[in-house]
Amino acid sequence: VGSAVENVQLYEQGQRAAVMEERSRLARDLHDAVTQTLFSASLIAEAVPASWELDQQEGRQLLRELQQLTRGALAEMRTLLLELRPAALTETGLGDLLLQLGEAAAGRAGVPVSVAVSGDCILPPDVHVVLYRISQEALNNVVKHARASQVELSLRCAPSPDGVWRHVELQIRDDGRGFEPDGIAPDHLGLGIMRERAEAIGAHLQVETEIGSGTLVSLSWGEDEDSAGAAGR
């Protein structure tokens, strides 16, 4: 009995530690992403009146930047609220989640992020979450390292002609500085984590890049109706 009680206590301590660690991570994300974005927006807002008086064209450009920053901050907040309630990730449409990630990345990086979703992307919960997480990691890498001027995220979900299986293609492409794949440690840029997530659902992940030529992260996943039901369960 004493051993069982001790095990329960250790389990509860581990659960509390995990909760505290997750809260700390969310607090860091809130500070790093939303706070910095809102700070930049406040600086631009202060500069708009004077700039408008001197040059209306420049004033309009500042207003466009302000709009992008505030939309990005709003998307960041929505994403963080979803993170606080993990079940919400599977309750929210994947297309909506990717749009939020795109707007948040655009606000932080100050570059346009286009998001295109086609097809009926109602997927098993584990596949749904993995596609979201890999997109999130890839866009975070773009913001932190790529120095890109354009980012494209696309998700295509298509059934076979006879409707027996589904196929999903996810791509995140940027025109940034790229990197040398052989010179990157497996645990750097989250590449190892992305590959592990892809393998967990039986998907194929590929990263194509070279110095000065941008980066393409692509994932393909497919299943038949029987395995879809098993994955959903």
Side-chain angles (χ1 to χ4, degrees), residues 4 10 15 24 29 35 47 51 98-99 122 150 152 158 160-161 201 232:
L10 289 174
Q15 290 291 94
S24 297
D29 289 347
T35 302
S51 297
L98 297 184
L99 284 170
I122 299 177
Q150 181 70 39
E152 299 175 357
S160 65
I201 60 169

Side-chain angles (χ1 to χ4, degrees), residues 84-149:
L84 287 171
R85 191 166 67 90
L89 289 179
T90 54
E91 295 169 359
T92 305
L94 187 56
D96 293 335
L97 290 175
L98 297 184
L99 284 170
Q100 282 186 196
L101 289 177
E103 288 190 352
R108 280 184 286 152
V111 300
V113 179
S114 64
V115 178
V117 178
S118 63
D120 183 9
C121 292
I122 299 177
L123 302 168
D126 55 342
V127 178
H128 180 105
V129 172
V130 164
L131 293 177
Y132 168 78
R133 292 297 186 194
I134 288 178
S135 300
Q136 185 180 46
E137 187 68 36
L139 288 175
N140 283 341
N141 286 337
V142 171
V143 171
K144 294 178 181 178
H145 307 291
R147 299 180 186 174
S149 60

Side-chain angles (χ1 to χ4, degrees), residues 52-204:
W52 189 270
E53 292 293 333
L54 296 173
D55 185 343
Q56 290 190 4
Q57 185 64 29
E58 181 181 353
R60 291 189 182 93
Q61 177 59 33
L62 288 176
L63 287 174
R64 285 191 290 269
E65 293 178 13
L66 181 60
Q67 181 186 39
Q68 184 181 53
L69 285 169
T70 53
R71 288 180 62 183
L74 179 60
E76 291 279 9
M77 286 300 299
R78 286 173 174 165
T79 299
L80 289 171
L81 290 173
L82 286 173
E83 297 282 355
L84 287 171
R85 191 166 67 90
L89 289 179
T90 54
E91 295 169 359
T92 305
L94 187 56
D96 293 335
L97 290 175
L98 297 184
L99 284 170
Q100 282 186 196
L101 289 177
E103 288 190 352
R108 280 184 286 152
V111 300
V113 179
S114 64
V115 178
V117 178
S118 63
D120 183 9
C121 292
I122 299 177
L123 302 168
D126 55 342
V127 178
H128 180 105
V129 172
V130 164
L131 293 177
Y132 168 78
R133 292 297 186 194
I134 288 178
S135 300
Q136 185 180 46
E137 187 68 36
L139 288 175
N140 283 341
N141 286 337
V142 171
V143 171
K144 294 178 181 178
H145 307 291
R147 299 180 186 174
S149 60
Q150 181 70 39
V151 185
E152 299 175 357
L153 188 157
S154 65
L155 177 69
R156 186 174 66 87
C157 304
S160 65
D162 56 6
V164 174
W165 56 272
R166 288 175 290 177
H167 185 71
V168 177
E169 290 283 349
L170 172 70
Q171 291 190 340
I172 302 97
R173 183 191 302 272
D174 71 74
D175 62 353
R177 59 180 180 169
F179 58 91
E180 179 56 52
D182 295 335
I184 298 296
D187 59 342
H188 192 54
L189 301 181
L191 297 180
I193 294 175
M194 287 194 286
R195 289 194 174 96
E196 288 176 3
R197 291 186 186 279
E199 290 173 2
I201 60 169
H204 176 67

